Amino acid sequence: MVNENPVLPRQIGTDGSAVTSLPFGLTVSGILFAVLLLLSSVYLYDFLDGAKEKAALDEISRLTAAAEQLSMRGEGSEISLELRLPEGVSVDFGALPGRQDKWPEDANDYCVRTGEKSTFYYSDASFSNSELEGPVSLVSGRHRLLLSTELEPKSGRLFVLISEKDALKNI
């Protein structure tokens, strides 16, 4: 059987419109790709910061829970604790940023810093350094701590003293 209606090839237009729209299409695609890449990097950065903060809060909650238990036991109680703060995280016990001179007024507060973000928390325990004269700061890394309780003679307030037993290198 022979095809009675043969299809004749048609001439393809050569007006050049496809050639001129190609750079525009590539530019738009490049911009969209850059925007998607930027959004995914911001999302990934926020995700990693959130995970880092959660890991730090898990460690810090162990310390605050131990401190609160020591406070309930009274003066002379002590406990050893190992703490690991992730890279880029620091915590101040007994003071809020810019208010270190307000100790012991802010002794129940602590601040967790992750990069540029600072988050403030309250504890039932009052924190002090080992000399009972101010707040305590811990930076990223491993810490072997001794928590002990002592009454401050002037006010009769019970403090949980945080002191490093010995500094541990980041392993």
Side-chain angles (χ1 to χ4, degrees):
M1 180 180 259
V2 176
N3 190 357
E4 296 178 10
N5 293 326
V7 178
L8 297 174
R10 295 179 67 190
Q11 279 280 16
I12 297 178
T14 56
D15 64 355
S17 63
V19 173
T20 57
S21 66
L22 181 63
F24 177 74
L26 289 175
T27 303
V28 168
S29 298
I31 290 171
L32 287 174
F33 180 73
V35 167
L36 286 174
L37 189 62
L38 178 66
L39 288 175
S40 36
S41 67
V42 166
Y43 173 77
L44 181 62
Y45 179 77
D46 286 345
F47 175 77
L48 292 175
D49 263 3
K52 191 184 298 186
E53 184 177 8
K54 182 181 177 343
L57 288 174
D58 288 346
E59 288 288 308
I60 293 166
S61 69
R62 289 181 33 238
L63 186 145
T64 56
E68 289 171 357
Q69 287 179 357
L70 287 175
S71 290
M72 287 189 275
R73 291 184 190 162
E75 186 177 17
S77 301
E78 62 181 40
I79 189 171
S80 294
L81 181 72
E82 191 169 305
L83 182 79
R84 182 183 176 108
L85 294 177
E87 189 66 35
V89 175
S90 63
V91 61
D92 296 320
F93 290 98
L96 298 174
R99 293 179 47 109
Q100 284 79 2
D101 60 330
K102 298 292 184 184
W103 185 90
E105 181 181 317
D106 292 337
N108 292 77
D109 299 317
Y110 60 99
C111 174
V112 179
R113 280 185 256 128
T114 308
E116 300 291 321
K117 181 181 175 186
S118 295
T119 311
F120 310 102
Y121 299 93
Y122 179 83
S123 173
D124 289 332
S126 299
F127 299 104
S128 177
N129 59 22
S130 58
E131 290 81 30
L132 196 61
E133 61 186 23
V136 178
S137 294
L138 299 175
V139 296
S140 300
R142 297 179 92 171
H143 303 274
R144 187 170 292 156
L145 303 172
L146 175 66
L147 305 180
S148 58
T149 53
E150 188 175 321
L151 284 174
E152 197 268 324
K154 292 179 189 173
S155 66
R157 185 174 179 180
L158 183 69
F159 283 90
V160 175
L161 310 180
I162 301 174
S163 57
E164 295 234 22
K165 289 171 67 173
D166 52 28
L168 297 174
K169 297 285 185 198
N170 254 347
I171 298 175

